[in-house]
Amino acid sequence: MNGQSSHQQPKDGRHDDDTALTEFLASLMDYTPTIPDELVEHYLAKSGFQCPDTRLTRLVAVATQKFIADVATDALQQCKARPAVIKDKRDKQQKEKRLILTMEDLSKALREYGVNVKHQEYFADTPTAGLDPATRDE
Amino acid sequence: MALLGEDGRGYELARKLESQGIWRSWLGDALYSSFIPFLSSPAAWDSFMLPDDSKSRPQISLELRARALLFDKASVSLFAQPTALSKLNPNYLELHGDDVYFTLENGAQDVDQRHPGVAASSTTSSKGRSKASGIGSRFSEPDVDAVSQRLSLEELPETWYNQFFEKYRATKSYTLMFGDRDSEKRTPEQMSTYLSLIENHKRRRVAFVDNISSLRSNPVMVDGSPADDAPLFPETMSIFNCVPDSAVLKTRRLENNQKVPFNGVLDNLPQTMTKSPVMSPIMIERLGIRPEYLSMEQGQGWGKNGSQGSRKLLSQEQASRISQKVVVRLLHNVGFESSSDTSLEVIAQLLSSHINKLGRTLKLLADSYRKQCSATELLKMFLQTAGYSNLRTLVELMKDNSKSVAPQTQQQGLSIQGQNLPQQQQQPSVQQSQQMLRQMNPQMQQMNNPQYLAFQQQQQQWERMRRRQQHHQQLQQQQQLQQQQQQSTPRPGMNMNMSIDKDRPLVQVKMEAPSDFSLDTNTFTSMNPRQPQLRQQQLAAISSFHAQANNNAFRPMTSLQIPQIHSPTMSMSRAPPVKVEGFQELMGGDSSAKHDSEENKLLSPRK
């Protein structure tokens, strides 16, 4: 009996998972993701995947939306973490820090996801540029 | 080939040929004398026919020549049904000069022998021989021909066909053939004569007959002339009056190119009938409405073929532009006020790459585990690969997005009502709007459109329509907003506002984004007579809106058109031209509506 019940539990768990997934798919039809279906289908078709079921398209849209939202949130935190603009003594009011997405914040955020969009710090016109004068002479 | 007997040696057939004296004429007297002992008994015949390495070359050549005739006569059983030897027509077994034979020897010699004018008869040829050296067409190299000729002349006399043709050339009929040029014209009489001639010829040469005695009498009845068995060369005899046997040419029937419905493994995800325990039975019983995905049949392209409506195919440029707009919306949802050009492009590319990656994952999973796993299992695998095995994160995202819409909607409603005051002339009552909705439901029952919406979805769509209409109104009167004071007088009773706003989208949605909503447009047009004046105003608004938008390709994405119209530069690095509040309203409106306040929901009619 005990064995049966313990065996049934994983089955029930799986069944619950299936139900949860099915319900989630159903709920996708109520929610229109920010990413339109046509766009998602375009890119999915580019990679070779076609499916007439809109729920799958929306699932991919929601997943992508989450991903981008995560990246954007990390970038926002980077932006907020940066020290605010130094208060100008002449101005009485402190400038409000405007939340602008810059490449700096974005590159820091994307680094955690394995995407490297770092700017070149400088461009050298010769191979020895930037080296010490001693080594350069040699 | 049944005529060759069970062992395939064809002894019986050979005996039959012998009884008609055909072997002698075929092989010639010299060879016949060496051949006839093999016909004395089946055992001797077997040893003759058996391939044996110890046999000499002349022996093999003789065997091959005998085989040629044997197999040629037996080949009829490949095509005809009756296969009894006794039913063979003796006339068929006779050697005829006008039978078509393949040549595999003496190719050059044949060409030389032919009269140069007899171009048509080049199609006829002597009996085939499977001689190793003779393989090739008549146009084979002269070396090979010379070798084969030498061999044949040394070992065997000329083939029967060559002898026949030599004789035939000497006959009168051959010379007359080319002398008679009167019948150069193609006339119906001559064509019919030719057809009857051909038919008689075929009847005489038929391979199998049921009654041999009747056949003997036939030639007398059909053709009285003694030369009825003369060779018939229609290509030379009636050059101009040759006609095919039948007027209807045999054409290969084109294969029915049926579209085979091809279903991917993920095409039929498990449908849920228990979307809500209350709604679904009611939906189906009363309204005959089922969720759209329930009625979706297998293999039906969801508009990709263009048959199901307006699934548009995007070009690369369009896709990149749309993805940038999507990114703008997403950034705003997260909390950013503006962004630099480069970052926007980077994130847009990231978006497209991510979708690509997810698509690749899905495709890989579906292709690899199509047979082992069900669709649900594949989906679970996909979610795990993507990192969303816990669906809660996605559900929360959806909830967050829809929550962020709700509080802003109310502000929009209030502010827009202030603007709409001067435009309103009539205010239909709440009951009217509810009546309209009730009217819609029976109409929906009658719809033939297979895409039906859930009742709840319909309500939400009303909300979306209303909100979008509000957005458009906002854009339309941007300049007026700056000048006018945004004095919004909260109108008494939100229901009244709701009713007004609901009527408007009926028209606007039809004009602008019919593809977005599955409801039949007929239902909308039925409402229009009730609000003719409003409709005119709406049309004016729409026309001006379109003049601004100038981007018909993005019609379905009405909500995303807003930023484009709002400012010419998408980069948002400059301050928006309108006040921040107005901008918030523009950007904050999401198209989903899950948690609206009760006031905004349509209420069922109070009885």
Side-chain angles (χ1 to χ4, degrees):
Chain A
M1 291 279 283
N2 288 337
Q4 277 186 359
S5 60
S6 64
H7 180 66
Q8 273 177 6
Q9 276 168 10
K11 265 191 184 172
D12 289 341
R14 222 179 301 146
H15 183 67
D16 288 340
D17 284 344
D18 289 350
T19 325
L21 180 63
T22 320
E23 285 178 4
F24 176 70
L25 288 173
S27 69
L28 275 176
M29 293 312 288
D30 298 335
Y31 169 76
T32 311
T34 311
I35 310 177
D37 290 340
E38 284 91 352
L39 186 71
V40 177
E41 279 171 9
H42 171 86
Y43 285 119
L44 284 177
K46 229 180 164 188
S47 61
F49 180 75
Q50 272 189 341
C51 183
D53 198 340
T54 326
R55 293 178 293 171
L56 256 192
T57 317
R58 293 206 173 170
L59 175 67
V60 173
V62 167
T64 311
Q65 193 176 333
K66 175 91 178 83
F67 174 73
I68 300 292
D70 287 345
V71 171
T73 313
D74 291 345
L76 185 73
Q77 283 168 3
Q78 294 284 343
C79 184
K80 285 181 179 168
R82 260 191 294 122
V85 177
I86 297 167
K87 182 178 167 184
D88 198 351
K89 284 176 187 175
R90 292 177 204 169
D91 292 342
K92 287 182 185 177
Q93 289 174 3
Q94 189 180 14
K95 253 193 197 173
E96 260 184 40
K97 182 174 173 160
R98 293 193 65 219
L99 295 168
I100 305 174
L101 176 65
T102 58
M103 275 308 294
E104 283 178 42
D105 301 331
L106 186 62
S107 63
K108 283 180 199 165
L110 283 176
R111 203 175 299 162
E112 291 176 31
Y113 289 89
V115 182
N116 181 19
V117 286
K118 212 174 153 191
H119 268 310
Q120 305 291 336
E121 290 184 20
Y122 62 91
F123 292 96
D125 48 2
T126 59
T128 52
L131 293 173
D132 289 338
T135 50
R136 210 187 301 168
D137 287 343
E138 286 172 14
Chain B
M1 294 209 272
L3 277 179
L4 290 175
E6 284 182 7
D7 55 355
R9 304 265 189 261
Y11 179 65
E12 292 298 324
L13 184 63
R15 292 293 306 174
K16 205 165 171 86
L17 286 168
E18 170 58 20
S19 63
Q20 286 184 247
I22 294 172
W23 285 116
R24 183 183 280 276
S25 40
W26 176 248
L27 295 169
D29 289 333
L31 283 176
Y32 178 71
S33 54
S34 58
F35 171 75
I36 194 65
F38 296 111
L39 274 176
S40 52
S41 68
W45 182 252
D46 281 350
S47 66
F48 172 70
M49 292 292 279
L50 257 176
D52 196 359
D53 288 340
S54 62
K55 283 187 184 169
S56 65
R57 205 185 193 89
Q59 277 179 321
I60 294 173
S61 308
L62 173 66
E63 184 195 327
L64 288 174
R65 203 173 261 201
R67 271 176 184 262
L69 178 66
L70 197 72
F71 284 116
D72 183 72
K73 293 299 177 190
S75 63
V76 70
S77 63
L78 289 171
F79 311 104
Q81 282 297 330
T83 53
L85 260 174
S86 55
K87 294 201 176 157
L88 269 177
N89 178 13
N91 200 16
Y92 167 75
L93 290 173
E94 296 278 346
L95 292 172
H96 302 287
D98 51 10
D99 278 343
V100 179
Y101 302 106
F102 282 105
T103 183
L104 287 178
E105 58 171 331
N106 306 332
Q109 194 182 5
D110 285 343
V111 171
D112 292 336
Q113 282 178 355
R114 297 268 187 285
H115 194 279
V118 186
S121 67
S122 63
T123 56
T124 63
S125 41
S126 56
K127 280 251 187 203
R129 282 170 65 140
S130 54
K131 213 172 176 185
S133 60
I135 293 170
S137 66
R138 64 180 68 256
F139 304 111
S140 55
E141 290 161 6
D143 301 333
V144 178
D145 270 349
V147 166
S148 65
Q149 267 180 350
R150 231 181 311 124
L151 282 169
S152 60
L153 286 173
E154 281 168 12
E155 293 157 11
L156 298 165
E158 267 190 343
T159 59
W160 172 87
Y161 187 74
N162 288 341
Q163 295 167 11
F164 159 78
F165 202 75
E166 291 289 338
K167 290 179 209 166
Y168 183 70
R169 245 199 300 198
T171 58
K172 232 183 184 179
S173 54
Y174 187 80
T175 47
L176 273 176
M177 226 161 33
F178 300 98
D180 184 15
R181 286 292 184 202
D182 292 344
S183 60
E184 272 187 32
K185 285 182 194 173
R186 190 179 179 87
T187 60
E189 297 83 18
Q190 285 182 358
M191 280 198 277
S192 65
T193 315
Y194 167 79
L195 278 175
S196 60
L197 200 68
I198 284 286
E199 205 188 316
N200 286 337
H201 182 80
K202 277 188 187 168
R203 212 184 301 144
R204 280 194 299 271
R205 301 283 179 83
V206 71
F208 294 106
V209 283
D210 290 330
N211 196 357
I212 294 176
S213 58
S214 64
L215 185 71
R216 283 204 199 102
S217 57
N218 271 344
V220 177
M221 286 159 59
V222 171
D223 275 322
S225 59
D228 56 345
D229 231 3
L232 178 72
F233 294 112
E235 310 87 39
T236 51
M237 288 173 180
S238 26
I239 297 173
F240 299 99
N241 293 299
C242 289
V243 288
D245 294 341
S246 155
V248 179
L249 296 171
K250 278 187 194 171
T251 52
R252 226 188 308 167
R253 213 161 44 125
L254 288 173
E255 286 171 21
N256 206 358
N257 191 10
Q258 283 175 351
K259 268 195 179 174
V260 178
F262 177 72
N263 299 324
V265 65
L266 290 169
D267 285 0
N268 257 350
L269 288 169
Q271 315 285 358
T272 171
M273 288 298 292
T274 59
K275 182 171 145 32
S276 79
V278 177
M279 271 302 164
S280 53
I282 295 173
M283 266 171 8
I284 293 169
E285 286 169 24
R286 280 197 207 164
L287 310 171
I289 299 167
R290 297 161 76 212
E292 53 186 351
Y293 50 85
L294 278 183
S295 59
M296 198 157 52
E297 285 171 9
Q298 280 192 13
Q300 230 179 28
W302 198 230
K304 270 216 179 296
N305 314 335
S307 59
Q308 283 275 349
S310 63
R311 277 284 183 255
K312 291 194 170 103
L313 297 175
L314 302 172
S315 71
Q316 185 70 20
E317 280 179 21
Q318 283 175 329
S320 63
R321 268 184 281 160
I322 296 168
S323 54
Q324 286 199 357
K325 291 178 192 175
V326 166
V327 165
V328 163
R329 170 64 61 88
L330 287 171
L331 287 176
H332 186 78
N333 284 348
V334 166
F336 276 106
E337 291 171 3
S338 56
S339 137
S340 63
D341 258 343
T342 324
S343 350
L344 202 67
E345 279 175 29
V346 167
I347 299 193
Q349 283 179 22
L350 192 71
L351 181 117
S352 57
S353 306
H354 193 74
I355 301 178
N356 262 340
K357 176 182 152 191
L358 292 178
R360 246 182 297 133
T361 311
L362 270 171
K363 181 169 167 61
L364 182 68
L365 287 172
D367 288 346
S368 314
Y369 302 108
R370 178 187 8 229
K371 288 174 185 168
Q372 295 104 304
C373 303
S374 69
T376 318
E377 285 169 1
L378 284 174
L379 263 189
K380 282 194 214 164
M381 280 201 282
F382 164 67
L383 287 171
Q384 196 158 5
T385 313
Y388 302 116
S389 46
N390 188 4
L391 291 170
R392 218 185 318 147
T393 46
L394 296 176
V395 172
E396 281 173 9
L397 174 85
M398 284 158 57
K399 281 185 187 166
D400 288 343
N401 274 341
S402 33
K403 267 184 195 163
S404 65
V405 170
Q408 292 171 0
T409 338
Q410 288 186 10
Q411 293 176 18
Q412 282 180 10
L414 290 172
S415 60
I416 283 161
Q417 285 315 307
Q419 299 160 28
N420 290 338
L421 266 175
Q423 290 188 3
Q424 285 170 16
Q425 298 197 8
Q426 275 186 0
Q427 296 178 13
S429 63
V430 177
Q431 284 86 23
Q432 275 188 6
S433 65
Q434 288 162 354
Q435 279 170 14
M436 277 186 254
L437 193 68
R438 260 180 283 149
Q439 257 191 2
M440 269 189 68
N441 294 336
Q443 280 175 0
M444 282 179 72
Q445 281 179 14
Q446 294 158 15
M447 278 199 296
N448 293 328
N449 193 334
Q451 303 174 9
Y452 297 111
L453 280 181
F455 188 72
Q456 199 174 0
Q457 281 184 354
Q458 188 188 340
Q459 286 187 12
Q460 291 160 0
Q461 295 234 340
W462 280 108
E463 290 304 308
R464 282 176 235 164
M465 279 190 260
R466 187 182 62 81
R467 212 163 292 109
R468 284 185 191 182
Q469 180 267 329
Q470 289 167 357
H471 291 163
H472 301 155
Q473 287 287 328
Q474 188 80 11
L475 287 165
Q476 168 61 27
Q477 299 153 3
Q478 261 184 30
Q479 293 178 355
Q480 296 176 12
L481 258 180
Q482 288 175 358
Q483 294 169 8
Q484 284 178 5
Q485 290 178 6
Q486 285 191 0
Q487 286 175 5
S488 54
T489 57
R491 302 212 26 98
M494 287 296 286
N495 287 334
M496 301 285 280
N497 304 333
M498 281 306 305
S499 61
I500 297 153
D501 294 333
K502 265 189 194 28
D503 299 333
R504 289 216 192 95
L506 298 175
V507 183
Q508 190 159 9
V509 168
K510 173 196 155 199
M511 296 291 290
E512 291 198 10
S515 61
D516 248 357
F517 307 105
S518 318
L519 294 169
D520 199 353
T521 53
N522 291 334
T523 60
F524 292 131
T525 52
S526 67
M527 308 290 200
N528 290 339
R530 291 175 177 267
Q531 306 287 335
Q533 291 160 341
L534 274 176
R535 189 187 178 180
Q536 287 171 5
Q537 293 161 8
Q538 288 294 316
L539 284 171
I542 290 155
S543 57
S544 58
F545 171 73
H546 277 303
Q548 287 182 14
N550 196 23
N551 201 345
N552 291 332
F554 299 141
R555 253 187 201 191
M557 292 149 281
T558 51
S559 57
L560 293 174
Q561 280 181 348
I562 296 156
Q564 190 188 9
I565 299 146
H566 159 65
S567 66
T569 57
M570 279 310 303
S571 65
M572 293 174 62
S573 51
R574 302 176 221 154
V578 296
K579 287 185 192 174
V580 176
E581 294 161 70
F583 179 68
Q584 284 282 341
E585 284 159 7
L586 273 174
M587 296 306 297
D590 203 331
S591 50
S592 70
K594 236 188 176 175
H595 301 275
D596 285 326
S597 64
E598 280 182 10
E599 295 167 327
N600 292 342
K601 274 190 183 161
L602 271 176
L603 302 172
S604 57
R606 293 197 197 103
K607 286 185 181 172

